[in-house]
Amino acid sequence: PHPPYASPQEFSNLYDPATMAIPEKPVKSLLGHTLTAEDWRKLKIRYYGSCSWIDSCIGSLLEVVGPNTIVVFTSDHGDILGEHGYFSKGLFCYEG
């Protein structure tokens, strides 16, 4: 997933904002404003909710395909989510 993280609310509701870690140093959003701790927690539950929604959709697909079906799921990269002072996706050379 990537911005905007727009999964159905039921998937974001799976996560408690209080458990979301926030970056140690300030990070600016794509629009240039510094994200607050509350902003980070909301963003992260929406990100994780989007991941859970994808998992649910793949699960639904696997329930209906035949036993002789091969499913390949791939991705380009994940969101850096504030690590190293960066936000979102980009040409970052970090494992995160």
Side-chain angles (χ1 to χ4, degrees):
H2 54 78
Y5 307 120
S7 62
Q9 187 65 42
E10 66 188 272
F11 294 99
S12 293
N13 289 345
L14 296 171
Y15 300 93
D16 179 1
T19 65
M20 297 294 124
I22 58 171
E24 293 180 17
K25 56 184 175 179
V27 178
K28 292 188 184 276
S29 74
L30 296 174
L31 299 176
H33 73 278
T34 301
L35 297 168
T36 66
E38 182 180 352
D39 292 335
W40 274 113
R41 289 184 177 101
K42 287 179 182 178
L43 182 141
K44 284 189 160 189
I45 63 169
R46 291 182 65 192
Y47 176 83
Y48 291 127
S50 295
C51 292
S52 294
W53 185 30
I54 291 167
D55 289 347
S56 176
C57 290
I58 296 297
S60 295
L61 171 69
L62 294 175
E63 287 178 3
V64 298
V65 297
N68 295 321
T69 302
I70 296 173
V71 176
V72 177
F73 182 83
T74 185
S75 174
D76 57 350
H77 53 81
D79 193 313
I80 202 157
L81 286 178
E83 292 180 23
H84 308 284
Y86 297 111
F87 172 80
S88 193
K89 293 181 161 190
L91 300 175
F92 307 119
C93 296
Y94 296 106
E95 189 174 332

